[in-house]
Structure formats: C-alpha cells, structure tokens
Amino acid sequence: MKIVAFGASYSKQSINKKLASFAANQFDNANIEVLDLNDFQLPVFTVDLEEETGYPKNVQLFLNKIEKADLLIISLAEHNGSYSAAFKNLFDWVSRLKSKLFEGKYMLLLSTSPGARGALDVLENAKARFPRHGATIIASFSLPNFSENFETSKGILNEELNSQFRKIILAAKNKMAN
C-alpha cells in the first residue's frame, strides 16, 4: 500500500506535518511518502496567469504524487477558519488541471492547532469539499492543543484523544484491507 501524507502548510516546523507523518507511520508494511508543501511552491493562482503561462511544473508534480497514493493522509492547518494560503493556492492550481484530483483515493483527514478547537473549521470545510473532487473520506480526527497533547516520540498523550485516533486508524486499516 502506498501512503502519501502531508501537512497542508508551508511552515518548516508544521505541527500538521508532524501529525500526518505520525498517522502514516501507524500502518505496517506501507510505502510511506511524507510530502513537504515547500517542495511545491507556486505563484498565486489567477485565471489570467493560467492562460498566459499554463500550468507550472509543480502542479503536475504534486498531482503525480496524489495519483500514486492508495491512501492520502492530510492534516490541515487552519488560518482564519479556512485552508492555509499555501494549500489553498496549490489546491486551486491542481484542481484546475484535474477537477477530480482525489478521484478514487481513500483519505484520512486530520487537523491540529495550538488552540482548543484543533482547527475544526477547516476540517469541516474539507470534509464537505474534498468528496466533490473525488475523495472517499474514511474518517477524520482533530487534535486540539497540539503542544499539550502530542510528543513526537510518544504520539498523542491524552488517553481519550488517543483512543479516538486509534479508532480512525483502525477504520482506515480495515478499509484498506478490503
């Protein structure tokens, strides 16, 4: 099984990338690739730029990564209640090249933030939006108060949250086994 995971942010210390990587590593015998969105930087999308220059090479490179995945694990950063500008721009470019960019892909949707809501707004936005682009969302999970509830070496520290997380991982494992 090929897993492609990423945190939907340009932050070099992205807590969402850490969560996505942690989730991906819960799958034994998987071929895991954790993407860094900094490797796919793009000019700000406009229809005019698209008409003038076509698609930058990073658009196709990112789409190629998505197309190779059996399971996508995306952890969404929330900026002002929505996607980070970096991810939204990438999403806009790639969805212009292929509207159903997640077509036939299973997906685990995650979010985390330093705050008590754990980026729930952006998670809900994505749960509504991504199926329109072909995603089959297996499960979702939000981790609030990242620095209090997560350590890279230990994972999710809060027992109740860890139990919820384990359930979504099990759901994904079961779905991928069928």
Side-chain angles (χ1 to χ4, degrees), residues 8 16 34 55 62-63 76-77 88 90 114-115 127-128 135 140 158 163:
N16 281 283
V34 179
Y55 298 100
F62 185 78
L63 182 58
L76 298 155
K88 179 66 168 86
L90 179 61
K127 286 167 53 178
S140 64
N158 177 290
S163 176

Side-chain angles (χ1 to χ4, degrees), residues 16 46 80 102 125 155:
N16 281 283
T46 67
N80 295 315
F102 301 129
N125 290 343

Side-chain angles (χ1 to χ4, degrees), residues 61-123:
L61 291 174
F62 185 78
L63 182 58
N64 291 347
K65 299 288 186 182
I66 297 300
E67 288 177 336
K68 291 178 183 172
D70 298 307
L71 175 64
L72 292 168
I73 300 177
I74 303 173
S75 189
L76 298 155
E78 183 175 283
H79 294 183
N80 295 315
S82 192
Y83 309 114
S84 70
F87 177 70
K88 179 66 168 86
N89 190 51
L90 179 61
F91 185 52
D92 288 345
W93 273 109
V94 176
S95 66
R96 292 288 290 196
L97 183 60
K98 182 178 180 184
S99 177
K100 300 281 187 186
L101 69 142
F102 301 129
E103 187 170 30
K105 302 300 172 192
Y106 289 111
M107 185 181 290
L108 276 180
L109 271 179
L110 312 173
S111 67
T112 191
S113 74
R117 289 188 35 79
L120 276 174
D121 288 338
V122 72
L123 185 64

Side-chain angles (χ1 to χ4, degrees), residues 137-178:
I137 300 171
I138 298 170
S140 64
F141 173 78
S142 171
L143 179 65
N145 303 311
F146 182 82
S147 62
E148 297 169 26
N149 288 318
F150 188 88
E151 286 183 23
T152 302
S153 62
K154 296 179 182 176
I156 297 172
L157 304 174
N158 177 290
E159 287 183 35
E160 183 179 332
L161 293 169
N162 190 43
S163 176
Q164 292 171 17
F165 178 77
R166 296 277 163 227
K167 286 179 185 173
I168 68 135
I169 295 297
L170 182 59
K173 287 179 177 180
N174 289 339
K175 186 68 164 179
M176 299 310 293
N178 292 334

